[in-house]
Amino acid sequence: SSNSSQCSMLRHAAASIARRYRSWLHGPRCYAFLGSLGSLDAEQDGWLRTEIARCSAIKPSPVSLDSWMNDLVIPNQISEFLRNEMPIRYAERIRLIETIPEWKRIPELRRVHRIQTIGFKTFCAMTEDESQSIPHFTKVLKEILYRSRKAKGLLMQAAMRLRQYRGITTFSDDSAMSINKTLDDLLLNRLGCNMLMAQYLGCIGKAGRSTGIINSQCDAVEICQKAADEVTRRCVQSQGKSPIMLVTGYTPAGEQSTAGGAPGFSYIPGLLMHMVRELLKNSCEATLLQANSESDLKSMPINVIVCADRRHVVIRITDRARGIPRHVGSQIWSYLYTGRPTYMAGLSFGYGIGLP
């Protein structure tokens, strides 16, 4: 009953926002949502600020893995949920950016703020009929995802600018911890929104019941092998060489297995792929820095071991690149930490940030 009441409140809030904005969002003085925000007059800007404040005060609805697999599997149900939920989540991101005192002075934060504002307006302006039209809603989501594809990189550049502006040299003071918390909340919010939109796109056009981007039999060995193959290929493309990467899986009985041999588990393959790929990229770059010759490189393989029982799956990645220096320690988990910029095209942002 509590969930039903919350959903009802969200629907009423979204409907109120849509009614109050639709008259001018589709008017001649407002650019199309794909274009510029344009210049809002005082009344329009006032409405926008009021509704962002209203939505940011509403707590986002939590979505469990069970909900992903049982409730958010029918396109029309997902689209209705997104139409109600996305303004709340976009408003929260806008609020988080505005809590950073320097945000208007940092070009990257201004761009991310603008992207979030356009997304907020897009969902607020959407009618129920538009959200229930699969072709229209699909087009809108794809355009939103495409427009926001650079937001993560922009946030990382903004982190470096904030470090310079504030003269941060230690990552445990209040200023650094505040920036890390804000960036963490921003990126987790963005990840959740992107996954929800991807869930809709993963469920449309599927015969029978689909679980979207969730795979109930996710194969960690297969995903690790694909990640290793991709990182190897890109490393060779950008550096002309790559360390050897060995992926080995083990069954609950301790027997070596290939893809499909270890127990499957419910997870999002794309998310696991991203995490493994980033770790392998870091191992790959560190190994290349330490290897002085081809023979050195051959003697420094990167090993990925996947083992499982009926309740757990463990992935272990090891390399021979001498590890993390003691003086660096936990600093690598700060967004403000910077090492050497990477030149491995397509494997990272290239800003030398930490690993959170």
Side-chain angles (χ1 to χ4, degrees):
S1 60
S2 176
N3 288 339
S4 298
S5 175
Q6 187 178 38
C7 289
S8 177
M9 291 174 60
L10 292 174
R11 282 195 295 270
H12 286 305
S16 173
I17 294 167
R19 284 194 301 269
R20 298 168 76 177
Y21 266 106
R22 199 168 294 120
S23 61
W24 67 268
L25 279 173
H26 294 298
R29 297 188 64 187
C30 184
Y31 284 92
F33 72 86
L34 282 177
S36 167
L37 280 173
S39 298
L40 304 181
D41 61 29
E43 181 180 2
Q44 292 170 347
D45 185 64
W47 277 114
L48 183 64
R49 303 310 311 166
T50 298
E51 297 306 331
I52 289 174
R54 184 196 304 275
C55 286
S56 66
I58 302 173
K59 187 176 180 179
S61 300
V63 182
S64 66
L65 185 60
D66 181 69
S67 295
W68 278 86
M69 300 186 67
N70 295 292
D71 301 328
L72 298 178
V73 292
I74 300 174
N76 286 348
Q77 290 181 349
I78 305 172
S79 63
E80 179 65 12
F81 178 80
L82 291 178
R83 190 170 73 91
N84 295 329
E85 182 72 10
M86 287 299 106
I88 296 169
R89 298 194 179 210
Y90 270 90
E92 173 66 6
R93 268 182 272 172
I94 293 169
R95 184 194 67 80
L96 284 168
I97 293 171
E98 292 177 356
T99 62
I100 301 173
E102 304 94 336
W103 79 268
K104 289 185 178 180
R105 296 167 49 199
I106 299 175
E108 294 83 4
L109 281 181
R110 292 202 306 270
R111 287 180 62 186
V112 176
H113 185 279
R114 185 167 174 270
I115 291 169
Q116 310 317 309
T117 304
I118 294 173
F120 177 82
K121 290 172 60 180
T122 300
F123 280 106
C124 288
M126 189 175 296
T127 65
E128 183 175 356
D129 288 342
E130 289 172 338
S131 71
Q132 296 301 303
S133 168
I134 289 180
H136 175 80
F137 199 66
T138 298
K139 180 182 178 182
V140 169
L141 293 191
K142 287 182 177 179
E143 288 167 342
I144 288 174
L145 289 169
Y146 180 79
R147 188 189 312 119
S148 65
R149 70 195 185 282
K150 295 183 179 180
K152 187 163 57 172
L154 290 169
L155 286 172
M156 296 305 98
Q157 292 180 54
M160 293 300 100
R161 286 190 187 271
L162 280 169
R163 178 182 175 179
Q164 294 170 1
Y165 282 166
R166 298 188 183 184
I168 293 174
T169 57
T170 177
F171 305 108
S172 59
D173 64 20
D174 290 343
S175 180
M177 293 177 69
S178 174
I179 294 173
N180 273 312
K181 178 66 167 59
T182 300
L183 289 174
D184 212 40
D185 290 344
L186 275 167
L187 289 167
L188 285 173
N189 183 310
R190 177 181 180 272
L191 175 63
C193 288
N194 285 358
M195 288 170 57
L196 285 168
M197 289 187 278
Q199 176 71 359
Y200 176 87
L201 297 175
C203 287
I204 59 175
K206 299 291 180 64
R209 187 177 180 83
S210 170
T211 55
I213 61 174
I214 300 285
N215 186 344
S216 61
Q217 292 297 316
C218 186
D219 189 328
V221 177
E222 179 183 11
I223 290 171
C224 288
Q225 187 61 63
K226 287 181 178 179
D229 292 342
E230 180 180 336
V231 172
T232 298
R233 175 176 56 80
R234 293 191 178 184
C235 187
V236 170
Q237 287 176 349
S238 62
Q239 304 297 303
K241 56 187 176 181
S242 172
I244 298 169
M245 297 191 197
L246 304 172
V247 179
T248 308
Y250 291 92
T251 67
E255 299 173 348
Q256 190 168 328
S257 70
T258 56
F265 62 105
S266 295
Y267 203 68
I268 302 173
L271 187 57
L272 181 59
M273 176 79 168
H274 174 74
M275 291 187 286
V276 174
R277 185 173 52 213
E278 285 301 300
L279 291 171
L280 288 177
K281 179 267 297 180
N282 289 327
S283 285
C284 191
E285 183 173 18
T287 300
L288 288 174
L289 285 172
Q290 293 295 328
N292 296 317
S293 64
E294 288 295 328
S295 61
D296 284 349
L297 197 58
K298 290 179 180 179
S299 67
M300 301 172 67
I302 298 170
N303 286 285
V304 182
I305 296 176
V306 182
C307 55
D309 57 24
R310 294 301 173 184
R311 294 179 59 85
H312 304 91
V313 175
V314 176
I315 301 172
R316 180 181 181 183
I317 300 174
T318 59
D319 59 49
R320 300 183 183 182
R322 299 186 181 180
I324 300 168
R326 287 182 62 84
H327 71 276
V328 173
S330 61
Q331 293 179 11
I332 63 168
W333 299 108
S334 169
Y335 291 104
L336 303 177
Y337 172 73
T338 178
R340 67 180 290 277
T342 178
Y343 300 100
M344 297 171 65
L347 291 179
S348 72
F349 299 122
Y351 306 122
I353 60 161
L355 291 175

